[in-house]
Amino acid sequence: MSSGPVRPYVLLSCAASIDGYIDDATDQRLLLSNEDDFDRIDEVRAGCDAILVGAGTNRRDDPRLLIRSARRREERVATGRCATPVKVTITASGDLDPTARFFTAGETERLVFCASGALEKTRERIGRLATVLDGGEPLDLAAMLADLATRDVRRLMVEGGGSVHAQFLAAGLVDELQLVVAPFFVGDCRA
């Protein structure tokens, strides 16, 4: 008899410019998707149990990580799930803003996996807003995925950023890659 999955199915979602950039060198968030793609992403999110972004993406983009469609939220609730997937972030330093939308937007469980050396600092900073977990030193993605599996996360969507995408790909922990190519060039080597 199987004891369940060792880890969730990992779907990595990324948008890039034609020349392969996922951001530019400005302080503004580079939008690489249009409304049709945002709706597609919303549908994919609705089919996941958790959504993960790295701490850098939390600091830079301040994402809400919510399902936009009321119909999709209602469908999730009708099947006994929370209206929005669990929010997950990883951090080596624990430098997370407790006022970020990751912590303040939506009613869902929030998990923060941090490097062992930053555990105490992170718990002091955001422990009342999220469950802060020891992710190892350095962060161990495979162990984090095993932990998520014990929390009934069967399908995880990894939304970024580039460093997090690279870590998951290098570790061989990606089951599916959804790559959208925006029809323009960034053309800036600082990006």
Side-chain angles (χ1 to χ4, degrees), residues 93-143:
S93 67
D95 291 330
L96 296 166
D97 180 356
T99 66
R101 294 187 301 182
F102 178 91
F103 300 109
T104 61
E107 297 296 322
T108 192
E109 184 177 7
R110 293 163 180 86
L111 303 173
V112 176
F113 289 87
C114 67
S116 300
L119 189 60
E120 186 177 326
K121 168 188 171 181
T122 308
R123 283 187 173 148
E124 287 174 11
R125 188 171 197 145
I126 51 113
R128 70 190 187 287
L129 304 170
T131 301
V132 178
L133 302 155
D134 189 343
E137 191 74 51
L139 281 165
D140 183 339
L141 295 179

Side-chain angles (χ1 to χ4, degrees), residues 40-188:
R40 180 196 62 80
I41 292 167
D42 197 56
E43 183 175 4
V44 174
R45 280 181 176 176
C48 292
D49 301 304
I51 304 168
L52 181 144
V53 295
T57 297
N58 270 319
R59 287 189 291 270
R60 199 172 38 258
D61 295 346
D62 195 20
R64 294 178 312 129
L65 302 180
L66 302 175
I67 298 186
R68 296 166 55 178
S69 163
R71 178 187 53 78
R72 290 180 183 127
R73 288 191 308 269
E74 290 166 4
E75 288 172 355
R76 285 179 58 89
V77 170
T79 62
R81 298 183 294 168
C82 185
T84 297
V86 173
K87 296 181 187 184
V88 181
T89 193
I90 56 176
T91 178
S93 67
D95 291 330
L96 296 166
D97 180 356
T99 66
R101 294 187 301 182
F102 178 91
F103 300 109
T104 61
E107 297 296 322
T108 192
E109 184 177 7
R110 293 163 180 86
L111 303 173
V112 176
F113 289 87
C114 67
S116 300
L119 189 60
E120 186 177 326
K121 168 188 171 181
T122 308
R123 283 187 173 148
E124 287 174 11
R125 188 171 197 145
I126 51 113
R128 70 190 187 287
L129 304 170
T131 301
V132 178
L133 302 155
D134 189 343
E137 191 74 51
L139 281 165
D140 183 339
L141 295 179
M144 178 202 67
L145 291 174
D147 182 282
L148 289 175
T150 69
R151 297 170 190 275
D152 293 325
V153 173
R154 293 172 312 283
R155 190 170 174 89
L156 173 69
M157 183 176 189
V158 178
E159 289 197 14
S163 174
V164 170
H165 285 155
Q167 290 172 47
F168 271 86
L169 288 165
L173 297 172
V174 176
D175 298 297
E176 179 180 340
L177 171 62
Q178 292 188 4
L179 177 64
V180 172
V181 179
F184 59 84
F185 289 90
V186 170
D188 184 346

